[in-house]
Amino acid sequence: MPHAPALLVIDMQNALAAISHRATETVAVIAGLRERAKAAGVPVVTIQHQGAELEAGTEGWQIVPELRPSADEAVVHKTSADSFLHTDLDKTLKALGVTEVVVTGFATEICVDTTARQALSHQYDVVLVADGHTTSERPDTGDFASPERSIAHHNEIFRHIDFPGRRIRVVPAAEVDFAAA
């Protein structure tokens, strides 16, 4: 089967960006990837969470302006950390002929991690964009890892996941080559 990537933009919504670590930088990285993907004819799929604190139609629920999908881009609505669970993500990717997902978005240890792992189980190769995902700001004290540690930890974990029959890579945005598709 030919190599066919899609860029996944997970939960880059106003309310979540407002609590994100390095939000401006992460949005800029993803925006650059979106431009490169579109220029190469690679589909962009925006995933939008809906729930108690992200009520559909509210300003907080909206995708950040820099990443708002165009009319020809797929948007998948979800209600859990797993972008595949009870959504049409798998159907959408299959209809587009996708074999590999390039994963970006919020939150590293929840929706990004869960969706990337589920992509492997759905038979997609995975590229985790090392500088294209983020998590919430939080104090360095307490039970949570700092945002920097959480992001670094997940990048390292994905470098070492062994999933038979699937290719997994962790690369910075500058090394994502959509033209190779």
Side-chain angles (χ1 to χ4, degrees):
M1 180 174 269
H3 172 74
L7 176 64
L8 299 186
V9 179
I10 302 169
D11 297 351
M12 293 303 293
Q13 296 163 252
N14 289 327
L16 301 176
I19 63 167
S20 292
H21 173 69
R22 296 178 41 106
T24 301
E25 295 88 342
T26 305
V27 168
V29 165
I30 298 170
L33 283 168
R34 280 185 86 251
E35 288 177 27
R36 290 174 33 216
K38 291 174 76 154
V42 169
V44 176
V45 178
T46 299
I47 300 165
Q48 191 171 26
H49 192 84
Q50 181 177 325
E53 295 181 24
L54 289 169
E55 195 172 316
T58 63
E59 183 60 28
W61 175 80
Q62 298 295 325
I63 301 298
V64 297
E66 302 88 340
L67 301 176
R68 288 216 174 112
S70 59
D72 64 337
E73 292 175 15
V75 177
V76 172
H77 296 100
K78 68 178 183 66
T79 58
S80 77
D82 178 355
S83 298
F84 288 90
L85 183 65
H86 306 303
T87 73
D88 61 356
L89 179 57
D90 191 44
K91 180 180 174 182
T92 298
L93 295 173
K94 284 186 177 14
L96 292 167
V98 171
T99 62
E100 175 182 79
V101 292
V102 179
V103 181
T104 67
F106 179 91
T108 296
E109 65 276 34
I110 304 171
C111 300
V112 170
D113 177 87
T114 303
T115 298
R117 289 175 191 258
Q118 287 302 313
L120 293 167
S121 292
H122 282 83
Q123 303 298 306
Y124 297 99
D125 293 333
V126 170
V127 174
L128 179 62
V129 181
D131 53 347
H133 61 95
T134 191
T135 191
S136 58
E137 280 290 357
R138 49 190 172 246
D140 288 336
T141 59
D143 292 335
F144 286 109
S146 70
E148 295 89 359
R149 295 286 303 149
S150 183
I151 293 165
H153 171 83
H154 281 79
N155 286 342
E156 197 60 26
I157 291 294
F158 273 87
R159 285 185 182 99
H160 292 91
I161 291 177
D162 183 22
F163 204 99
R166 300 279 49 93
R167 183 174 181 212
I168 306 165
R169 296 179 294 138
V170 179
V171 298
E175 293 179 21
V176 174
D177 185 6
F178 291 117

